[in-house]
Amino acid sequence: DFLFFWGAVFLVTTTLVAFLKKENQELIPAKEETKGITDTYRLLFSIIKMPAVLTFCLLILTSKVGFSAADAVTGLKLVEEGVPKEHLALLAVPMVPLQIILPLVISKYTAGPQPLNTFYKAMPYRLLLGLEFAFLVWWAPKVKHEGGFPIYYYAVVVLSYALHQITLYSMYVAIMAFNAKVSDPLIGGTYMTLLNTVSNLGGNWPSTVALWLVDPLTVKECAGAQGHTCATAAAAEV
């Protein structure tokens, strides 16, 4: 229902803009160099061949490996340990105002000549929060009782997620500020899109690998089945 409602709003508003908005013919637009698809990809290839861009892309593609397991798997493991999905969803609500405020606050520190300072200063704290998330998963079965989980456990989870959001947005805003700063204004859209795409890819591929490795790296114990390790899905099912 939520998706249907906003899909309908999106369709109605964009249709109204298409029919009701008129272009101002009196203003002469500034000459803008437009390129075809082939020329654009040639330009992208020439940008990515630059030594500085190549080094930056390599760094940004590997910089988030240390956070991948904590970011991708923590929520799933908490659910596996018995934390209700709806409770985890409710815990995301207090994060919304934080997510709105954080970019405004952090942008003051990334507006200077060295925006990546904020990125690397936030990195060790985010790595430490990965250990904190591991502790939360380990702690979950220890505090669980018949009625569910105590309030103090949820308070610690909310606080941990809030701290995680601060480090996450510090790195995110810093990298966006850096990309905007170094992009050539003449081809700003193409340049910045390339850097942002690499940045997004640098966050997505480690999470995918982390999720894929969960089963092979999980140690299982079989109750009442001597000689079985339950290492594979078939063995666990047996």
Side-chain angles (χ1 to χ4, degrees):
D1 289 345
F2 176 84
L3 292 173
F4 180 81
F5 173 78
W6 286 110
V9 169
F10 184 83
L11 286 171
V12 169
T13 50
T14 48
T15 304
L16 288 173
V17 169
F19 283 108
L20 301 179
K21 175 67 179 170
K22 302 296 181 187
E23 296 292 339
N24 191 342
Q25 301 295 338
E26 295 176 7
L27 292 174
I28 301 171
K31 288 185 178 180
E32 191 175 316
E33 188 180 352
T34 56
K35 295 180 179 292
I37 293 175
T38 308
D39 291 334
T40 302
Y41 276 99
R42 280 179 186 158
L43 180 62
L44 282 171
F45 189 65
S46 65
I47 291 169
I48 208 164
K49 281 196 300 183
M50 294 164 62
V53 174
L54 204 58
T55 304
F56 175 69
C57 287
L58 183 64
L59 289 171
I60 211 66
L61 279 171
T62 54
S63 64
K64 296 177 184 175
V65 171
F67 325 125
S68 55
D71 290 2
V73 185
T74 300
L76 299 173
K77 283 295 176 184
L78 287 176
V79 171
E80 191 178 290
E81 294 295 346
V83 180
K85 291 178 186 176
E86 57 270 22
H87 290 183
L88 281 179
L90 281 173
L91 294 181
V93 175
M95 299 299 115
V96 174
L98 191 66
Q99 290 167 349
I100 295 170
I101 295 166
L102 278 174
L104 298 172
V105 175
I106 296 164
S107 60
K108 295 178 182 178
Y109 301 97
T110 58
Q114 295 178 317
L116 280 185
N117 280 356
T118 307
F119 182 91
Y120 73 73
K121 283 177 182 175
M123 187 176 283
Y125 296 103
R126 193 171 170 188
L127 286 168
L128 286 173
L129 282 167
L131 297 175
E132 161 75 1
F133 283 177
F135 169 75
L136 287 177
V137 174
W138 172 84
W139 193 30
K142 312 287 183 188
V143 296
K144 186 180 180 182
H145 51 73
E146 288 183 7
F149 290 86
I151 297 297
Y152 65 82
Y153 180 77
Y154 287 117
V156 173
V157 171
V158 169
L159 180 62
S160 301
Y161 270 93
L163 292 172
H164 178 259
Q165 289 294 312
I166 293 170
T167 58
L168 187 151
Y169 272 84
S170 295
M171 295 180 71
Y172 175 76
V173 174
I175 207 74
M176 290 297 114
F178 178 79
N179 290 348
K181 191 173 184 64
V182 300
S183 297
D184 188 340
L186 294 174
I187 48 169
T190 306
Y191 210 126
M192 192 158 178
T193 300
L194 171 67
L195 295 180
N196 287 350
T197 301
V198 173
S199 180
N200 291 334
L201 186 60
N204 289 334
W205 80 260
S207 296
T208 305
V209 173
L211 287 168
W212 180 73
L213 288 172
V214 168
D215 273 348
L217 294 178
T218 298
V219 178
K220 302 183 182 76
E221 293 178 7
C222 296
Q226 297 297 326
H228 288 278
T229 60
C230 296
T232 64
E237 190 176 346
V238 170

